[in-house]
Amino acid sequence: MHWMSAKIPNDQFLLYGFAGVPSDLEHALATVRARAASCPELRLRVRERGLLTYPSWIAGEVGPDQVVPHEPTDRSWAGCLKAVAGLAEHQLDAGRMTWRLHVFTPVDGMPGAGAGTVAVLQATHALGDGIRSSALAAWLFGRVGEVPPVPAPPPFRGVALPWRGFLASRAHRQLVRDTDAGLVPPQADSRSVLHSNLRPDGVRSIRTLIRNRAQLRGPTVTVGVLAAVSTALAGHLRELGDDPSTLGAEVPMAKAGVRQAHNHFGNVGVGLYPELDFGERADRIAGDLAQRRNRAAHPAMLVSSRAFAAVPAALLRWGVGQFDPMLRSPTVTGNTVVSSVNRGPADLRFGELPVVLTAGYPGLSPMMGLTHGVHGIGDTIAISVHAAESAIGDVDAYVERLESALGSAE
């Protein structure tokens, strides 16, 4: 993640909305800084150690510029989201800091609060995936329970590559046999490139819709939103001249087993089945997710991850260097990304202010011009859209379709 960020910027932006305006902003900011300073995982920096070895994590101090108040030039909720979208133009240098908290106050018309305060945690992806970064943010805002460290890799791990490679090859042959026997689902099909996969260009916009958990149809929040995205995106793409019959989504999924890395997830592809009615579509999507989870739990996947972890740093660095973000592929894992994270109970506070919502905006990439975030805190679910003009055209027209597909907010 650290090396790839030089090719495709991958900072994450975790938004938290709090009801009201703090009576003492400086005290609220100082409390966050003190919480950060007391958490070893929030004092980490990346140190490069030369071309032939991996970077290492080192401890640093929490600087005063890591918690930054902003006085909004546009105090509206829409103006705040526009400012948040602009933060992506200023990626972090992980050698200096791996996170920064941006605080916007006051913000008028924030859902669930009226006048409110918005805090956005910007974090390098190397520091953690969506689940880990959410836990770090929760610590900043007062949640009890420290974020545990990730075990450090063993020294001289490269010497294990031949043996681990042999084990991975043997496990892969077993995976093939189990797949042929119907014991494990096959790998997900690739999808044809559609308009939403165009290289991001033009204005980049973010929008957020708010629902109560009980208002969302489907067996789970994630499945319900995926089914609604299917309706909205298929209709929108048809108007742009695409055939969405093979429409699919790329969904980040936590890996099985104990976390061994700051990023403990893989991206899987699921169909969106826009030709089916909502109930049948939701069942098919849930079935696809279950199949991806089943395949990911096969022992071959763990053995493969262990072999990859033993690749010598120089070889992996060389491989990352060969990646060309300008190249285009005729097929993709999905035509959009839908990233879903439950951020737990609504127990967070900024100063004396209670949290009322949380949202996230998965980054765009050369083959992905439209992404969605699904983030819950308490019973409040935020469904977010991050889109480039080149890939979606009129973002507000698309959001209207999505709002209709999600159903009434009343």
Side-chain angles (χ1 to χ4, degrees), residues 25-87:
L25 177 59
E26 287 304 320
H27 181 264
L29 297 173
T31 299
V32 170
R33 291 190 184 100
R35 293 280 296 182
S38 68
C39 176
E41 300 305 296
L42 286 167
R43 291 191 277 109
L44 294 177
R45 308 285 186 273
V46 173
R47 182 180 67 180
E48 287 282 5
R49 299 185 295 167
L51 297 177
L52 300 180
T53 189
Y54 279 98
S56 63
W57 291 111
I58 60 171
E61 299 299 323
V62 175
D65 58 344
Q66 286 191 252
V67 182
V68 184
H70 299 264
E71 185 171 347
T73 55
D74 180 348
R75 291 173 46 163
S76 69
W77 170 241
C80 180
L81 293 185
K82 184 176 181 180
V84 172
L87 295 176

Side-chain angles (χ1 to χ4, degrees), residues 44-293:
L44 294 177
R45 308 285 186 273
V46 173
R47 182 180 67 180
E48 287 282 5
R49 299 185 295 167
L51 297 177
L52 300 180
T53 189
Y54 279 98
S56 63
W57 291 111
I58 60 171
E61 299 299 323
V62 175
D65 58 344
Q66 286 191 252
V67 182
V68 184
H70 299 264
E71 185 171 347
T73 55
D74 180 348
R75 291 173 46 163
S76 69
W77 170 241
C80 180
L81 293 185
K82 184 176 181 180
V84 172
L87 295 176
E89 298 174 8
H90 306 283
Q91 298 283 306
L92 297 175
D93 174 1
R96 289 190 58 246
M97 64 179 73
T98 53
W99 63 272
R100 172 179 276 161
L101 187 73
H102 305 268
V103 179
F104 299 85
T105 189
V107 175
D108 295 330
M110 191 178 78
T117 296
V118 169
V120 179
L121 178 66
Q122 178 180 3
T124 61
H125 222 308
L127 184 63
D129 52 30
I131 293 174
R132 182 173 172 80
S133 296
S134 295
L136 291 170
W139 172 264
L140 286 177
F141 299 127
R143 183 171 291 165
V144 176
E146 294 185 356
V147 180
V150 175
F156 311 112
R157 55 183 135 165
V159 299
L161 180 59
W163 176 244
R164 289 188 180 182
F166 166 75
L167 294 178
S169 177
R170 186 175 66 180
H172 178 74
R173 289 193 295 271
Q174 184 62 51
L175 173 62
V176 172
R177 289 193 293 269
D178 289 345
T179 302
D180 291 341
L183 302 175
V184 178
Q187 191 169 356
D189 293 332
S190 296
R191 311 281 164 178
S192 298
V193 167
L194 299 177
H195 219 88
S196 52
N197 297 110
L198 289 178
R199 189 185 308 280
D201 197 9
V203 176
R204 300 189 183 204
S205 304
I206 62 175
R207 301 287 189 273
T208 294
L209 303 172
I210 303 296
R211 293 292 187 274
N212 184 277
R213 188 179 299 270
Q215 294 169 331
L216 296 174
R217 296 180 290 169
T220 67
V221 168
T222 302
V223 170
V225 173
L226 281 164
V229 167
S230 174
T231 299
L233 187 53
H236 198 80
L237 290 174
R238 285 191 194 99
E239 287 202 355
L240 294 174
D242 282 345
D243 174 9
S245 58
T246 63
L247 190 67
E250 185 175 338
V251 180
M253 180 178 288
K255 289 183 177 181
V258 178
R259 176 184 288 273
Q260 297 294 327
H262 286 244
N263 283 272
H264 186 67
F265 76 100
N267 291 330
V268 302
V270 300
L272 291 182
Y273 310 104
E275 75 283 0
L276 302 179
D277 63 35
F278 191 94
E280 188 176 357
R281 183 192 311 157
D283 289 343
R284 291 288 297 275
I285 292 171
D288 277 10
L289 287 170
Q291 287 190 343
R292 296 307 105 217
R293 203 171 288 113

Side-chain angles (χ1 to χ4, degrees), residues 347-371:
D347 58 353
L348 310 183
R349 305 187 80 83
F350 180 71
E352 75 273 26
L353 310 179
V355 69
V356 293
L357 64 88
T358 185
Y361 309 93
L364 307 181
S365 68
M367 292 296 299
M368 190 64 70
L370 171 68
T371 65

Side-chain angles (χ1 to χ4, degrees), residues 303-356:
V303 177
S304 175
S305 292
R306 287 174 175 168
F308 183 78
V311 172
L315 181 58
L316 184 59
R317 188 190 291 269
W318 176 85
V320 171
Q322 304 314 298
F323 176 76
D324 185 353
M326 301 306 293
L327 292 179
R328 302 285 297 170
S329 170
T331 60
V332 288
T333 303
N335 304 115
T336 185
V337 167
V338 179
S339 178
S340 182
V341 179
N342 182 349
R343 291 181 175 157
D347 58 353
L348 310 183
R349 305 187 80 83
F350 180 71
E352 75 273 26
L353 310 179
V355 69
V356 293

